[in-house]
Amino acid sequence: MKKLVLLISLIAGLALAKTTITVGLDADPPNLDPVFSNALVDRQVQNQLYDKLVDLGSDLKIIPMLAQSWIVEESGTVYVFKLRQGVKFHDGTEFDANAVKFNLERSMTAEGSRRKGELSLVKEVKVVDKYTVQVTLKSAFAPFLAVLSDRSGMMVSPTAAQKYGKDFGNNPVGTGPFKFVERKRQDKIVLAANESYWQRGLPKVDELIYRPFPDDDVRLANLLSGAATVISPVAPKDLNSVRSNPDLNLFTFPGLGHQGVWLNVTKGAFANPVLRRAFAATINRETIDRVVFLGTALPSNGPFAPGSLGYDPKIAVPKQDISLAKKLLADAGKPGGFSFTLLTAPGPVLTQLAQVYQAMAAEAGIQIKIEQVEFGTLLDKTDKKDYEAALLGWSGRSDPDGNIYDFMRCGGPLNSSGYCNAKVDQLLNRARTIRLAEARAAIYSEALKIIQSDLPYIYVYHPQITIGASKRLAALPLVPDGILRFKSVEVK
Amino acid sequence: MIPFLLRRLLEGIPTLLLVTVLVFSITRILPGDPVRLMLGEETDPEIMREVRKSFGLDRPIPVQYAEWLYGLLLADLGRSLRDNTQVTKLIGDKLPTTIELSLLAIFFGTVIAIPAGVFSALHRGSWWDGGVTALALSGISIPNFFLGILLIYVFSLKLGWVPPSGYEEPWKNLGKNLSLMLLPAITLGSALAGGLTRLTRNSLLEVLSLDYIRTAQAKGLSKRVVIYKHALRNAAIPIVTVMGLQFGGLLGGAVVSEQIFSIPGFGRLVVDAVFNRDFPVLQGLVLVSALCIFVVNLTVDLLYAAIDPRITYS
């Protein structure tokens, strides 16, 4: 009898034991409403709360999510989506074509919506029937599905969005595998399993807790002590601690972003393309990867990481060539070198990086003065073109357009260099309208060759995604966008 | 006492108004546009204009100030530019945490400093005195960020006694709250303990050399009564002054401890608001800080009268 009682209580105990995953991030997600969200880190939490019309696979291919299938008309301007049936939002509202129309229109029209730019080519969203939606674009826009695999494609409950208005971010409701429970700014965001999730048997854990640890050492300490189940990112200096720990797994894989140096082509020394080339020739990407990132940064040949449609392996990663740099300096009438100020945001890795650039440039006689300014000031100065060179990168998008269009076209909102080349503009605009992948890739390669010669930006490396996780965590998909998707993750 | 209090409260109003003008001007002078920072990677000029308008940042600064001041009269400090949360709610959530941390740090500092200072003064010139002084100097000199990481390494990672970081509300689980607050309070209180030990020692030594102490000893009072009733009470005025000043400083100085131990307090909110140019939050925080320091100073003034009956306010 006693044994039976013991067995029953043991089973009950097991049944009651709540499985929780605590995720340590490097920042507190500022806004959970996909329409008003900008920070990259928001997407870590949003991807558990909201399903999107389409998602990204580990190979960056677009895969179905709330849209089961879609047809793109020949012109490339009409998309017809067939929606999944029987899906409900966490508040019980049904997901259907009207919800899709509501969401896309909310993103396009809400005052201050951050999604207006990426959806600016949408002309009309039409409900064909309860589970069919037709989206008509003003002109063909090849990255459209990729846009819908991010925040523009996240579906929020129309009922909740209307109820909470601008406060929806603090009361988020989606159809995702996890439901919002509570949030304490700078402390934690708690999510609970959505027991009526449309994918049967998922999610496999009861609770997700996100906690911000801005300090690298503290983030690591929480992982090592078991207080956090998984952390991302892992600072380069901490990679060995995670790798050598028998209880932990370290995952590193190339992300979608790029890092490098903006050069202001509108004034100062770098208005001269020869001096831009001279400085670029001093950079040794392998050394940067080895010394600063301990082998976790991928030397880059452009804005597209391997795996991206735009990546062209035939374009070589530029090598350091000090004698070429000296020759170019002499050609530009500066045989003794020149000096410039390199702007960077604070932080141990950025400081080290700036110092490595400084040492490399000095080999050719180029003097770099490092100026560290707080991030807001850095953006202010680069926006106003009030700088000579600046360390600033991009988190990356799955479609190549998102990594180049706004940066390299004349007057692009993220074109910090002031660079303008009509031929590049023409190519980038053309690449947006063609649906054939190979043809698009060829156009990007052509544009990139011109950009590499003009050098408004020196592409130096692709940062890798680094994740440290307890070995108890199983089935974590590794997607190059760096978002941890927990719906099928198990805790052993 | 009442007229004194009223006068001090009335004097506080122009001071606080001046603080609001200063903080309003300084936040606007800072380079860095909150809208640009908030929009981060999406910088369409059209969207930027629209967001700026939706926050009212396109209007002249005096108009923005007047509106904010009007809101203040209605106890409305505006909403965060980041996530639309009410500033009063944010401050209401964070301030108690930092006050708890500061009080624990002061408690920790005082419990160590006063006995150590008394002990050191009574053993002046001995090895013990030297040892206490050296420890006090270490407390002052070791930077918070280093001590914090060191404590996490020893007590969380090596010994596993307390969790490395985090926060739990005291009303939900007091034991967990205290275990999580222990290391941050030690980190924050160590410099205070060091300074206070030195101050207690010096202040007590000064009082001990005065005539009335000799008189008390001559009357045959026990050493304990002489020290604790006569000497320490008279030495307490500078100690209380410094503790008051320190408390004000701790509210701001908790930034590093809160950052290291991931405590969602006032200090982290300040840092976050500065980096994101979250003007409404920053303005609210500076105002509340100024108010806290004002209240602490007033309390210290009132404590003087309680400690030393010769001091009266009229």
Side-chain angles (χ1 to χ4, degrees):
Chain A
M1 185 63 190
K2 263 186 187 171
K3 276 183 184 169
L4 186 68
V5 170
L6 197 69
L7 190 68
I8 289 172
S9 55
L10 197 71
I11 291 168
L14 281 176
L16 288 174
K18 200 156 74 168
T19 49
T20 299
I21 295 177
T22 304
V23 190
L25 301 173
D26 58 341
D28 188 30
N31 199 321
L32 299 181
D33 184 339
V35 167
F36 297 104
S37 144
N38 271 98
L40 196 67
V41 69
D42 285 342
R43 302 192 295 184
Q44 293 286 0
V45 184
Q46 287 166 340
N47 270 276
Q48 327 304 327
L49 288 170
Y50 312 109
D51 288 320
K52 299 166 288 191
L53 283 180
V54 293
D55 200 7
L56 284 182
S58 299
D59 55 358
L60 290 181
K61 293 255 163 34
I62 303 284
I63 53 174
M65 205 171 196
L66 286 176
Q68 270 182 314
S69 63
W70 53 90
I71 301 163
V72 188
E73 285 191 3
E74 200 51 48
S75 63
T77 55
V78 180
Y79 288 70
V80 180
F81 295 96
K82 284 277 176 203
L83 305 178
R84 195 172 292 284
Q85 300 186 20
V87 178
K88 280 203 160 58
F89 289 98
H90 304 149
D91 62 356
T93 308
E94 196 180 349
F95 169 75
D96 57 12
N98 280 315
V100 176
K101 182 177 165 69
F102 172 87
N103 270 281
L104 289 176
E105 287 180 349
R106 178 172 181 256
S107 293
M108 285 152 56
T109 57
E111 191 189 26
S113 161
R114 324 288 197 260
R115 306 278 81 84
K116 280 185 184 173
E118 51 197 33
L119 294 177
S120 61
L121 287 175
V122 175
K123 190 168 139 197
E124 189 194 16
V125 185
K126 206 166 90 186
V127 174
V128 178
D129 61 45
K130 195 166 166 51
Y131 295 106
T132 312
V133 179
Q134 178 181 303
V135 181
T136 310
L137 305 181
K138 291 171 192 159
S139 57
F141 181 50
F144 185 58
L145 285 176
V147 164
L148 295 183
S149 74
D150 196 358
R151 284 164 288 197
S152 285
M154 288 180 182
M155 295 290 120
V156 312
S157 158
T159 319
Q162 278 159 340
K163 180 176 166 194
Y164 294 111
K166 279 206 161 177
D167 224 17
F168 177 78
N170 292 321
N171 305 276
V173 180
T175 63
F178 291 90
K179 296 185 286 191
F180 179 77
V181 176
E182 66 161 334
R183 131 164 242 181
K184 288 218 165 1
R185 192 145 127 169
Q186 294 166 326
D187 182 20
K188 62 184 171 190
I189 297 172
V190 182
L191 312 182
N194 172 10
E195 275 144 16
S196 32
Y197 191 55
W198 54 269
Q199 274 184 286
R200 296 227 174 271
L202 300 182
K204 292 180 176 172
V205 291
D206 300 311
E207 191 177 52
L208 266 184
I209 300 177
Y210 284 89
R211 301 205 44 214
F213 303 116
D215 188 284
D216 293 339
D217 296 324
V218 176
R219 201 160 57 249
L220 178 74
N222 275 275
L223 180 69
L224 295 178
S225 71
T229 328
V230 53
I231 63 166
S232 184
V234 181
K237 66 178 178 56
D238 299 331
L239 292 167
N240 274 336
S241 310
V242 179
R243 200 179 278 128
S244 59
N245 190 311
D247 300 325
L248 299 175
N249 275 323
L250 175 72
F251 304 106
T252 61
F253 51 95
L256 299 170
H258 60 255
Q259 294 287 331
V261 192
W262 274 113
L263 302 175
N264 184 354
V265 304
T266 63
K267 61 183 177 193
F270 291 126
N272 183 348
V274 185
L275 291 183
R276 300 203 289 270
R277 278 178 221 131
F279 167 53
T282 66
I283 295 172
N284 187 330
R285 290 162 173 77
E286 280 73 26
T287 302
I288 287 173
D289 171 38
R290 215 177 44 246
V291 174
V292 184
F293 296 98
L294 307 171
T296 57
L298 198 67
S300 70
N301 66 358
F304 314 118
S308 158
L309 167 68
Y311 176 69
D312 183 352
K314 290 198 288 294
I315 298 177
V317 175
K319 297 271 177 214
Q320 185 188 44
D321 190 340
I322 298 296
S323 51
L324 174 68
K326 285 183 175 162
K327 182 183 170 300
L328 288 167
L329 285 172
D331 291 351
K334 306 241 182 211
F338 67 104
S339 69
F340 69 89
T341 303
L342 178 65
L343 279 188
T344 164
V349 173
L350 284 171
T351 307
Q352 206 185 348
L353 190 57
Q355 287 164 348
V356 172
Y357 284 124
Q358 190 179 42
M360 288 170 175
E363 288 181 49
I366 301 171
Q367 304 298 320
I368 297 182
K369 185 175 161 262
I370 299 168
E371 189 183 330
Q372 281 202 330
V373 290
E374 171 269 335
F375 190 62
T377 313
L378 179 71
L379 288 183
D380 200 49
K381 282 179 174 275
T382 49
D383 283 353
K384 290 177 180 155
K385 314 278 183 288
D386 176 22
Y387 76 103
E388 290 180 285
L391 296 189
L392 202 56
W394 177 242
S395 59
R397 295 289 181 269
S398 58
D399 190 276
D401 181 81
N403 282 12
I404 195 166
Y405 188 72
D406 284 344
F407 300 84
M408 289 300 152
R409 73 184 152 99
C410 304
L414 295 167
N415 181 343
S416 301
S417 165
Y419 172 65
C420 184
N421 183 321
K423 176 71 181 162
V424 171
D425 274 18
Q426 190 200 344
L427 289 168
L428 296 183
N429 279 318
R430 218 171 87 216
R432 295 190 121 190
T433 57
I434 296 174
R435 285 178 51 222
L436 196 66
E438 291 77 13
R440 283 187 79 197
I443 296 173
Y444 284 125
S445 294
E446 197 182 338
L448 193 55
K449 280 173 195 152
I450 303 173
I451 292 165
Q452 295 289 39
S453 158
D454 290 347
L455 269 181
Y457 186 87
I458 307 171
Y459 297 100
V460 179
Y461 63 94
H462 299 294
Q464 297 221 29
I465 308 288
T466 51
I467 300 166
S470 158
K471 281 200 171 149
R472 294 188 301 122
L473 206 70
L476 181 70
L478 306 175
V479 185
D481 61 8
I483 291 161
L484 307 168
R485 290 161 166 84
F486 287 106
K487 72 175 173 189
S488 49
V489 169
E490 281 180 86
V491 179
K492 286 187 274 187
Chain B
M1 179 71 100
I2 302 289
F4 167 77
L5 261 180
L6 280 176
R7 203 181 72 230
R8 284 293 301 268
L9 288 174
L10 282 176
E11 278 170 8
I13 293 173
T15 314
L16 290 176
L17 265 178
L18 189 69
V19 168
T20 64
V21 174
L22 276 176
V23 68
F24 220 91
S25 325
I26 291 169
T27 49
R28 278 11 185 227
I29 293 167
L30 282 176
D33 174 2
V35 176
R36 172 70 172 93
L37 277 167
M38 193 186 322
L39 291 180
E41 299 187 337
E42 327 280 338
T43 49
D44 190 309
E46 202 47 50
I47 298 175
M48 284 180 79
R49 252 194 302 280
E50 197 179 296
V51 173
R52 187 165 287 117
K53 187 164 171 273
S54 74
F55 290 133
L57 294 170
D58 56 337
R59 284 169 302 170
I61 292 174
V63 175
Q64 291 180 39
Y65 177 68
E67 274 195 2
W68 182 71
L69 216 54
Y70 178 69
L72 192 63
L73 292 176
L74 307 173
D76 176 11
L77 291 172
R79 283 172 178 269
S80 160
L81 301 184
R82 296 284 273 180
D83 61 5
N84 209 40
T85 311
Q86 281 189 324
V87 175
T88 40
K89 183 183 179 303
L90 276 176
I91 294 176
D93 283 351
K94 311 291 176 190
L95 192 59
T97 310
T98 301
I99 290 181
E100 185 199 352
L101 178 60
S102 302
L103 286 175
L104 283 173
I106 285 200
F107 173 75
F108 167 76
T110 317
V111 160
I112 289 184
I114 307 268
V118 172
F119 179 81
S120 193
L122 295 181
H123 297 82
R124 186 185 181 182
S126 70
W127 281 98
W128 288 108
D129 183 25
V132 170
T133 306
L135 274 176
L137 283 176
S138 315
I140 300 169
S141 327
I142 297 176
N144 270 356
F145 62 87
F146 176 72
L147 184 63
I149 296 284
L150 191 71
L151 291 175
I152 290 180
Y153 180 76
V154 175
F155 293 103
S156 301
L157 290 186
K158 288 289 150 195
L159 300 172
W161 289 353
V162 283
S165 65
Y167 181 70
E168 184 74 45
E169 285 92 346
W171 55 90
K172 279 191 185 161
N173 187 340
L174 185 63
K176 194 170 178 200
N177 169 274
L178 290 176
S179 75
L180 284 164
M181 285 297 218
L182 185 67
L183 299 186
I186 294 175
T187 306
L188 195 59
S190 65
L192 177 76
L196 220 53
T197 306
R198 302 275 301 144
L199 190 73
T200 310
R201 177 187 179 274
N202 295 346
S203 190
L204 196 63
L205 279 176
E206 203 180 310
V207 173
L208 283 174
S209 66
L210 294 178
D211 288 346
Y212 73 89
I213 295 292
R214 210 171 303 131
T215 312
Q217 283 166 338
K219 280 198 301 189
L221 292 177
S222 73
K223 198 175 174 187
R224 178 183 292 267
V225 173
V226 172
I227 290 166
Y228 287 99
K229 198 169 171 196
H230 293 265
L232 196 56
R233 185 156 179 179
N234 280 293
I237 295 270
I239 298 172
V240 169
T241 310
V242 167
M243 277 173 67
L245 289 174
Q246 291 279 353
F247 185 74
L250 285 182
L251 286 177
V255 174
V256 176
S257 289
E258 288 179 0
Q259 195 79 359
I260 294 172
F261 292 99
S262 307
I263 294 172
F266 203 71
R268 279 181 81 193
L269 197 60
V270 173
V271 175
D272 204 33
V274 171
F275 281 143
N276 294 310
R277 306 287 189 274
D278 198 341
F279 293 156
V281 176
L282 196 55
Q283 284 151 208
L285 291 172
V286 174
L287 183 71
V288 171
S289 304
L291 202 64
C292 285
I293 290 174
F294 174 74
V295 171
V296 168
N297 282 342
L298 190 62
T299 315
V300 167
D301 282 350
L302 297 178
L303 272 178
Y304 287 162
I307 294 169
D308 189 341
R310 289 169 302 178
I311 299 175
T312 51
Y313 296 113
S314 57

